[in-house]
Amino acid sequence: MRIGVFVCHCGENIGRTVDCHAVAEACAHFPGVAHSEDYKYMCSDPGQNLIKQAIREKGLDAVVVGSCSPHMHEKTFRKACADAGVNPYMVEIANLREHCSWIHDDIKAGTRKSIDLMRFAVEKVKFNVPLSPIRVPVTKRTLVIGGGISGIQAALDVANAGYEVVLVEKEPSIGGHMSQLSETFPTLDCSQCILTPRMVEVYQHPKIKLMSYSEVEKVDGFIGNFTVTIRKKAKSIKEEFCTGCGLCAQKCPIKKKALSEFDEGLSFRSAMYVPFPQAVPNIPVIDREVCTYFKNGKCALCKSVCGRDAIDFDQQDRFVKEEVGAIIVATGYKLYTIDKKPEGSIYKGYGEYGYGKYKDVIDGLQFERIASASGPTSGEILRPSDNKEPQKIVFIQCVGSRDESKGISYCSKICCMYTAKHAMLYKHKVHHGEAYVFYMDIRSGGKNYEEFVRRAIEEDHVKYIRGRVSKIYEEDGKLIVRGEDTIAGMPVTIDADLVVLATAMVPQPEASVLAQTLGVSYDKYGYFQEVHPKLRPVETATGGIFLAGACHSPRDIPECVSMASAAAAKTMVLFGSDMLEREPVVAEVDPSTCAGCFYCKKVCAYNAIDINEIRDRKGQLQKVVAHVNSGLCQGCGTCNATCPSKSIELIGFRDDQIFAQINAFAEV
Amino acid sequence: MLLQRYNMEEKFEPKIAAFVCNWCTYTGADLAGTSRLKQQPNARLIRVPCTGRIDPVFIIKAFESGADGVLVSGCHPGDCHYNAGNFHARRRWIMFRELLEFAGIDSSRLHFSWVSASEGKKWVDVIDGVTETVRKKGPFDQYRKMSRKIELPELEEEGVEI
Amino acid sequence: MNGLNEVCREAISGNKAALIIGYTEDKHHHLKPFIAHTEADTDKLTYNHNAVNNLAVYLHRFRNRTEGRIGIVVKPCDLKAITALIQENRVKRDDLYVIGVNCSGVVKDQNKEFSKENTQIKCKTCAGKTPAWYDVVVEESVEFELPEDNNALLMKQIEEMSAEERLEFWNSEFEKCIKCYACREVCPMCYCDQCIVDKTEPRWIESSATNRANFAWNMIRAFHQAGRCIGCGECDRVCPADIPLSLLNRKMGMVAFKEFGYRHGTDMNAPTLIGTFSTSDHEEFIR
């Protein structure tokens, strides 16, 4: 090997406390060094030309530059060498500035240390090998999981950029929770009015393949090359024939056996149902649990009235495979179930508030349905128990949130705003009604949010009481709410007609199952984990899988929309080229020495180690060894250090390269 | 080279081998440099992508190569650029340092730290602290004697170190 | 002895196992490892106080076998090695036919009679005379006088030494090492196809028997066994230089238990110590 050594003065930055000429002289005597010189500004054009000239004249095949930190100019020098015909990975940088000249005043110590650092780099580069960036092909299609506002936004952005999208939604209709809301803060826009045009756009978009009433079953592959198996659940309808006329749902005789999920249990729906009138797609679904035909073979009224013969009782769940290059997860949230007997989860109930016991203790989404013009009460604020108009409503914030003893220590972010909104909606409809809000703090940090809450207090005269509620019980048809007013320093008792609980936002219960299917991390609550909370909030540690919306953490609609567009942008960055180019600093297995213990697989944070069976020509198993998927490997080297036989090594930081540096320590 | 270190006029200067992760500690050391924070010149840094890459055999080799003290430093738990490399490293360190302590190499010679990319000042404190501790402890002659490959008693009498 | 031969014969004839790794007596009345392939072979199998070998180490020879289960005669301490190998996915439970033996202690020196002085130290701290699990169990366990735990005494002495004294102690022990690698060969948990000491590029650990290379070898082997050694003590037994090797592994086992509550080889479904982590692993030693 013929190594070229170049020591930069960096003007006075290195030259003042390090004798660069002496360093270059010393390096000239290292075995393997064919050329050694120093220069004022190595990164400048003339400096780079010196390197290129030396490469040509002296036939150099590796270069060591003593300069500023590699974080500054490693790329510069790599490019210069590549231009002159030396592989860019045959370049090593010794940090003589940040790690030497700038931190020592003693020129003797500084020079000696610089010589040592140069020696380490020279010894390391002797074991470098030429490398090329790894190329992985990219399928330019995206899977979006979840058809709420986040999924819809992400799907539209990607589709409008010209790439195909597969949108999978587990409910019969897209729209998510936003379609259940009556009005949105801070504008009090009608939620469905702003959402439904988007829903229709998705349905009609030529680049979006919508799969409703479907779930992601299995995900194989890696970034740019995922194969996703999707279960299309049986709607019992042949979608190609259905016109959405709604006659079947109208005629369905089973009207009171199932509670409407869309109305949060406040009304019934039929066995053959469309979740709400503006559902997209407007195709009904048979709930086989309550349908008479599926229970005892009778009825089939829907089939007889259907003019298009679209009903298919024999339909089964179908599995389809889709090839995609990127996945956006937008599974959203649900509200914390806070009755006394939670389903064996980390959450503990709020039995003391009587949710599930008293009909008139409801949660935020139920209030939205009551306030909604298309809801069970046609928009009139009426109590669920007796359909009377409540004269006093108590709203309680922070139910479940910010309460470590109940299992949730975080703040759900949106409750202060929607509680103010609920109180305002109530007051707009029941002018003489009294609205009380029990709060711990008011968190209204968004644009026009603080003004919105002030409006509730000052214009709509909602009474805010700082304190928590200890108990709610029923007496003479009223709900007695016992709480505390901490500012006045005294207990408060209110005889309410209706109590609305601002319960915590939690991830979907199956989120952790989906996370494991995808191979992404999640926290103890089930929220999906981002790579870096500050700088990479929409990416997961698994390449090619991005996050959008409330499945990541509690957030409101504008934040969901922003995040969805961000995830879409990340997808488009991925699709920007036909081949994905990655730094070749990845691990590699030597199958001849690998014992197949797979300790490397255990420590790989990126699932980049596969199990490889080595068979002979007759198909007999010889051994099982590890194999690195270079598309997924991020190059940390934990596998290398964990492997007892060193059968897996990290290219660029291999054992022999590090050994050479440690060995050079003997000369220090 | 070895004699230069142990000159009669100069005091003993410890040699510290420092294995640092690229994303946090190396960058933190860069920040110390950019801020011109002066520190002891005894450490020689060897860059690895992650503390997860650091095999305890590096530490043994560093002592064999003449290090009087070894420092291993990386990202704070939870901040690892590669998610979990430093968690695996930490568990390794818990076991290895107990083993080395049992064998006679204690925490005066083997040091660990978490230094993030923004902790330039902390890096200086770590370097200075480790250098001082090892300087007080003295040269690691016990290990150096073990590392002697050949026995030449006549040269030893003349005071030549082999 | 009682039951062992019948059970083994029946295992072969009834196709419960394709072969059985067990012990047989040689002309010096020592027990040595023996692999029975036929029913006739099973007559040669036996078990007594001389059954010192940990037979689990032979399981590695039969990896990737597809015809028939591997039978193995195993005493309670050695069974932990099998549990550990299952934990590490090195062998599958379903590929084994485990013939457990109710043990009554094993000797240090096969030339002498079984007595309190001639009992292996590990028998004193044996977790149980009956194997923790098995497909079938044989023999009756008989009470015996427990030996002195000289290893514990030595551990205590070492821990009371200063760092310099300890290094001096181990250096003088390792000076005797001849790099025969008997410790590695006999250890069921040492199953790398190519050991790190045999890797030449780079040469992390020299194979020559010098002080520094011996120190490095024994330290690194002990570290690779950290959280993996199951305490069978074979390394001590076979070392021709009488180096108290198992003390290093014992120390690592104590740390694994104290820090993480972990014992390798006790629960075949437990995740391994190395290769996992907890966000609350302690770190007061880290600046």
Side-chain angles (χ1 to χ4, degrees):
Chain A
M1 188 172 279
R2 294 173 64 76
I3 303 171
V5 168
F6 302 89
V7 183
C8 183
H9 291 241
C10 195
E12 282 270 287
N13 285 311
I14 298 179
R16 199 177 58 83
T17 48
V18 170
D19 184 346
C20 299
H21 192 72
V23 173
E25 283 263 289
C27 293
H29 297 290
F30 293 165
V33 172
H35 173 90
S36 180
E37 69 175 302
D38 57 296
Y39 182 68
K40 271 264 184 268
Y41 297 102
M42 225 61 232
C43 56
S44 65
D45 272 347
Q48 291 186 47
N49 282 334
L50 280 179
I51 298 178
K52 293 180 194 179
Q53 199 179 355
I55 289 173
R56 273 192 303 268
E57 285 173 10
K58 299 273 180 85
L60 304 177
D61 42 28
V63 163
V64 171
V65 184
S67 63
C68 51
S69 170
H71 289 160
M72 298 284 296
H73 278 304
E74 189 174 56
K75 279 199 167 60
T76 315
F77 294 120
R78 281 198 173 159
K79 188 169 182 311
C81 290
D83 287 346
V86 167
N87 182 286
Y89 295 93
M90 299 301 291
V91 175
E92 287 294 327
I93 311 292
N95 187 338
L96 304 184
R97 193 181 70 173
E98 282 86 337
H99 287 187
C100 194
S101 70
W102 272 351
I103 55 177
H104 311 310
D105 278 330
D106 178 352
I107 199 167
K108 228 167 57 166
T111 307
R112 191 156 57 213
K113 182 166 174 174
S114 297
I115 296 174
D116 289 338
L117 293 175
M118 293 301 289
R119 182 184 291 110
F120 284 13
V122 167
E123 291 305 316
K124 182 182 182 194
V125 89
K126 287 179 184 171
F127 290 93
N128 282 23
V129 290
L131 300 169
S132 331
I134 296 170
R135 298 196 124 105
V136 178
V138 180
T139 307
K140 295 185 192 183
R141 294 175 86 234
T142 308
L143 170 70
V144 177
I145 308 178
I149 182 61
S150 306
I152 287 171
Q153 182 64 43
L156 285 173
D157 282 339
V158 175
N160 285 334
Y163 302 108
E164 268 179 43
V165 176
V166 176
L167 176 55
V168 173
E169 164 56 53
K170 73 172 198 248
E171 298 296 331
S173 167
I174 55 174
H177 288 300
M178 191 176 167
S179 56
Q180 294 173 292
L181 306 180
S182 64
E183 287 166 30
T184 56
F185 57 78
T187 48
L188 295 182
D189 269 314
C190 152
S191 181
Q192 286 209 2
C193 307
I194 54 176
L195 178 64
T196 39
R198 298 273 175 109
M199 288 162 61
V200 171
E201 208 187 325
V202 164
Y203 190 59
Q204 293 177 340
H205 205 294
K207 294 260 176 200
I208 300 181
K209 193 167 169 184
L210 174 58
M211 295 191 192
S212 61
Y213 210 52
S214 305
E215 294 190 42
V216 170
E217 189 86 358
K218 194 163 179 289
V219 175
D220 289 311
F222 52 94
I223 183 174
N225 301 275
F226 292 109
T227 303
V228 185
T229 307
I230 298 164
R231 174 196 290 265
K232 295 186 79 161
K233 300 186 288 196
K235 295 184 183 181
S236 314
I237 306 284
K238 284 182 267 192
E239 285 185 61
E240 329 78 78
F241 295 135
C242 176
T243 57
C245 69
L247 205 54
C248 53
Q250 228 177 24
K251 296 291 185 194
C252 176
I254 307 301
K255 294 259 188 259
K256 298 254 186 218
K257 289 244 175 81
L259 288 170
S260 165
E261 293 87 352
F262 188 78
D263 276 342
E264 295 290 323
L266 291 176
S267 68
F268 290 102
R269 58 153 172 81
S270 39
M272 166 78 87
Y273 71 103
V274 171
F276 57 103
Q278 298 85 355
V280 168
N282 194 7
I283 293 170
V285 158
I286 297 181
D287 179 354
R288 294 185 177 187
E289 304 279 304
V290 297
C291 166
T292 321
Y293 181 87
F294 285 100
K295 286 173 77 170
N296 51 31
K298 301 221 172 74
C299 188
L301 197 57
C302 47
K303 199 173 169 85
S304 53
V305 300
C306 177
R308 303 267 298 162
D309 194 23
I311 315 281
D312 180 3
F313 293 123
D314 299 319
Q315 196 178 69
Q316 298 297 316
D317 288 358
R318 266 191 313 131
F319 291 94
V320 291
K321 279 195 159 67
E322 292 285 344
E323 306 283 329
V324 296
I327 300 177
I328 299 179
V329 184
T331 51
Y333 70 96
K334 72 183 269 279
L335 287 185
Y336 171 50
T337 310
I338 48 84
D339 41 32
K340 237 175 173 171
K341 294 193 235 31
E343 332 77 34
S345 73
I346 60 169
Y347 310 128
K348 294 186 173 49
Y350 265 92
E352 58 266 45
Y353 288 174
Y355 181 86
K357 190 167 159 193
Y358 306 124
K359 275 193 143 169
D360 294 322
V361 176
I362 59 176
D363 67 25
L365 274 175
Q366 287 174 317
F367 188 83
E368 293 282 349
R369 293 314 303 145
I370 290 174
S372 176
S374 62
T377 58
S378 305
E380 282 188 61
I381 313 290
L382 301 173
R383 302 192 332 156
S385 60
D386 55 14
N387 266 332
K388 289 216 177 73
E389 194 181 71
Q391 304 306 307
K392 267 192 218 171
I393 302 188
V394 167
F395 297 90
I396 306 179
Q397 291 184 184
C398 293
V399 177
S401 314
R402 306 177 63 192
D403 195 345
E404 228 171 289
S405 63
K406 295 292 188 184
I408 297 179
S409 41
Y410 58 83
C411 165
S412 292
K413 207 169 190 189
I414 58 172
C415 327
C416 288
M417 287 305 293
Y418 74 62
T419 300
K421 176 187 72 172
H422 288 170
M424 283 164 74
L425 290 180
Y426 169 62
K427 290 289 288 189
H428 292 173
K429 295 190 175 179
V430 182
H431 300 298
H432 56 277
E434 284 174 56
Y436 298 89
V437 177
F438 279 92
Y439 72 99
M440 299 209 286
D441 297 285
I442 298 297
R443 294 179 170 181
S444 47
K447 189 167 179 177
N448 292 318
Y449 283 19
E450 178 63 20
E451 295 90 321
F452 184 80
V453 178
R454 294 311 313 167
R455 190 178 142 193
I457 297 173
E458 288 162 15
E459 286 179 32
D460 292 309
H461 306 296
V462 175
K463 299 189 182 59
Y464 273 72
I465 303 171
R466 189 182 184 277
R468 300 196 71 182
V469 170
S470 60
K471 197 179 157 97
I472 300 175
Y473 57 91
E474 211 171 39
E475 207 177 73
D476 297 330
K478 290 230 179 238
L479 290 164
I480 310 300
V481 178
R482 306 203 50 175
E484 187 193 0
D485 182 343
T486 58
I487 295 178
M490 45 184 228
V492 166
T493 305
I494 302 176
D495 50 342
D497 296 308
L498 181 66
V499 173
V500 182
L501 304 174
T503 54
M505 263 177 120
V506 296
Q508 296 278 0
E510 314 87 44
S512 50
V513 175
L514 179 64
Q516 285 165 8
T517 307
L518 293 167
V520 301
S521 355
Y522 54 97
D523 67 15
K524 69 176 187 198
Y525 301 109
Y527 284 116
F528 292 93
Q529 188 75 30
E530 70 286 338
V531 193
H532 194 286
K534 291 283 206 204
L535 297 179
R536 298 174 72 185
V538 304
E539 300 162 79
T540 62
T542 309
I545 302 186
F546 308 105
L547 303 173
C551 64
H552 166 268
S553 61
R555 58 187 62 232
D556 54 27
I557 292 168
E559 287 172 345
C560 283
V561 170
S562 310
M563 197 173 176
S565 294
K570 290 289 178 192
T571 309
M572 289 185 256
V573 166
L574 187 56
F575 294 170
S577 36
D578 293 326
M579 298 288 264
L580 201 57
E581 239 189 45
R582 302 195 39 227
E583 281 277 304
V585 177
V586 292
E588 209 175 67
V589 176
D590 179 355
S592 64
T593 57
C594 173
C597 72
F598 292 106
Y599 266 92
C600 54
K601 192 170 163 68
K602 285 186 233 242
V603 299
C604 179
Y606 299 97
N607 270 330
I609 311 267
D610 299 323
I611 299 175
N612 208 16
E613 290 181 349
I614 298 185
R615 293 178 183 274
D616 66 14
R617 258 175 264 212
K618 296 201 197 93
Q620 294 269 69
L621 184 65
Q622 300 296 297
K623 66 194 291 203
V624 180
V625 296
H627 172 82
V628 177
N629 180 333
S630 49
L632 288 178
C633 174
Q634 300 292 314
C636 70
T638 306
C639 54
N640 197 162
T642 306
C643 178
S645 62
K646 308 299 161 197
S647 301
I648 185 168
E649 294 210 73
L650 179 65
I651 310 294
F653 291 93
R654 284 196 327 270
D655 271 14
D656 49 12
Q657 289 169 298
I658 297 184
F659 181 92
Q661 291 177 78
I662 305 175
N663 218 15
F665 206 83
E667 309 289 336
V668 164
Chain B
M1 276 291 185
L2 288 164
L3 288 173
Q4 274 179 10
R5 268 182 58 233
Y6 219 154
N7 209 308
M8 276 310 157
E9 292 117 26
E10 292 170 24
K11 299 189 311 204
F12 152 68
E13 278 304 323
K15 294 198 291 186
I16 315 288
F19 296 95
V20 301
C21 86
N22 177 53
W23 299 94
C24 283
T25 303
Y26 193 94
T27 311
D30 276 356
L31 178 60
T34 318
S35 318
R36 314 291 198 276
L37 299 173
K38 304 292 174 232
Q39 57 194 254
Q40 297 286 317
N42 303 61
R44 304 288 182 263
L45 270 57
I46 292 175
R47 181 168 77 126
V48 292
C50 177
T51 42
R53 176 69 188 90
I54 299 170
D55 188 337
V57 79
F58 296 179
I59 298 170
I60 298 275
K61 194 70 202 162
F63 284 125
E64 276 185 16
S65 300
D68 299 298
V70 172
L71 167 64
V72 179
S73 183
C75 307
H76 289 264
D79 295 349
C80 179
H81 180 86
Y82 302 98
N83 272 13
N86 59 354
F87 284 124
H88 289 293
R90 179 172 67 179
R91 190 164 269 205
R92 241 179 250 148
W93 299 344
I94 292 173
M95 303 299 285
F96 191 65
R97 69 184 288 273
E98 292 269 4
L99 179 66
L100 241 49
E101 178 129 5
F102 184 63
I105 302 173
D106 65 12
S107 55
S108 59
R109 300 238 178 243
L110 178 56
H111 302 263
F112 300 93
S113 67
W114 299 135
V115 174
S116 78
S118 58
E119 290 178 315
K121 179 83 185 46
K122 182 175 179 187
W123 177 243
V124 173
D125 290 339
V126 169
I127 286 289
D128 286 349
V130 169
T131 308
E132 260 329 291
T133 308
V134 179
R135 182 179 281 122
K136 279 203 188 65
K137 193 79 182 172
F140 205 178
D141 285 333
Q142 245 186 329
Y143 211 106
R144 212 141 3 260
K145 258 187 10 200
M146 262 171 23
S147 285
R148 243 190 344 216
K149 287 198 171 177
I150 45 172
E151 304 280 330
L152 283 174
E154 47 290 3
L155 280 182
E156 222 186 284
E157 271 161 27
E158 289 178 34
V160 177
E161 254 193 70
I162 299 160
Chain C
M1 301 297 294
N2 285 0
L4 176 67
N5 295 84
E6 284 94 74
V7 164
C8 291
R9 180 173 270 272
E10 214 252 292
I12 299 273
S13 66
N15 257 326
K16 291 191 183 134
L19 52 91
I20 298 178
I21 308 166
Y23 304 92
T24 196
E25 199 173 73
D26 68 10
K27 59 183 181 201
H28 306 291
H29 301 294
H30 292 181
L31 252 49
K32 61 182 189 186
F34 173 70
I35 298 178
H37 291 276
T38 64
E39 286 177 52
D41 281 344
T42 62
D43 287 339
K44 300 197 191 113
L45 292 170
T46 187
Y47 187 90
N48 57 42
H49 294 293
N50 282 353
V52 293
N53 295 74
N54 182 344
L55 299 177
V57 70
Y58 295 103
L59 288 175
H60 298 295
R61 297 195 187 183
F62 300 104
R63 291 197 82 210
N64 303 322
R65 258 185 84 87
T66 45
E67 326 89 47
R69 298 205 280 174
I70 316 292
I72 179 166
V73 175
V74 66
K75 50 193 195 280
C77 49
D78 301 340
L79 181 72
K80 287 190 284 177
I82 302 183
T83 310
L85 292 175
I86 295 172
Q87 252 183 289
E88 296 187 3
N89 285 315
R90 187 70 183 170
V91 296
K92 294 203 194 53
R93 170 69 185 98
D94 296 334
D95 288 343
L96 300 174
Y97 185 70
V98 172
I99 301 162
V101 179
N102 286 319
C103 179
S104 308
V106 286
V107 295
K108 277 192 192 141
D109 182 349
Q110 291 196 54
N111 287 313
K112 302 204 179 91
E113 281 294 310
F114 181 64
S115 69
K116 179 177 169 181
E117 288 70 39
N118 191 24
T119 307
Q120 288 212 16
I121 289 172
K122 68 175 175 178
C123 295
K124 173 163 188 172
T125 49
C126 178
K129 312 293 187 283
T130 296
W133 57 272
Y134 44 78
D135 285 303
V136 65
V137 71
V138 297
E139 300 287 311
E140 290 287 322
S141 167
V142 173
E143 287 293 318
F144 58 92
E145 236 187 315
L146 298 178
E148 294 297 328
D149 188 348
N150 294 322
N151 277 350
L153 252 53
L154 187 52
M155 283 276 287
K156 198 158 170 297
Q157 282 172 355
I158 295 171
E159 303 210 312
E160 280 161 11
M161 295 179 192
S162 70
E164 285 79 10
E165 286 168 342
R166 266 182 253 142
L167 189 55
E168 200 35 60
F169 169 78
W170 284 109
N171 190 32
S172 63
E173 287 294 337
F174 293 142
E175 220 166 14
K176 301 182 284 180
C177 176
I178 57 170
K179 291 298 213 8
C180 67
Y181 303 116
C183 49
R184 175 187 75 181
E185 296 309 315
V186 82
C187 175
M189 305 312 296
C190 259
Y191 53 76
C192 285
D193 281 6
Q194 181 191 76
C195 180
I196 187 176
V197 74
D198 296 324
K199 196 168 168 78
T200 52
E201 287 177 0
R203 188 106 228 186
W204 287 115
I205 304 171
E206 290 131 15
S207 54
S208 50
T210 59
N211 279 12
R212 90 173 190 177
N214 293 351
F215 186 81
W217 161 246
N218 286 290
M219 280 296 112
I220 295 301
R221 197 182 98 84
F223 179 70
H224 283 186
Q225 291 301 326
R228 298 181 62 233
C229 169
I230 47 94
C232 68
E234 285 283 83
C235 46
D236 256 6
R237 180 179 71 82
V238 301
C239 175
D242 283 329
I243 300 169
L245 291 172
S246 65
L247 253 55
L248 295 168
N249 300 309
R250 188 162 164 158
K251 175 69 185 174
M252 287 285 87
M254 282 162 61
V255 174
F257 188 66
K258 187 177 86 163
E259 297 288 344
F260 307 106
Y262 183 76
R263 284 205 212 281
H264 204 52
T266 47
D267 175 359
M268 71 172 81
N269 295 313
T272 55
L273 182 68
I274 299 293
T276 56
F277 62 87
S278 160
T279 49
S280 50
D281 282 346
H282 83 101
E283 54 178 42
E284 15 51 50
F285 63 92
I286 304 177
R287 284 166 198 255

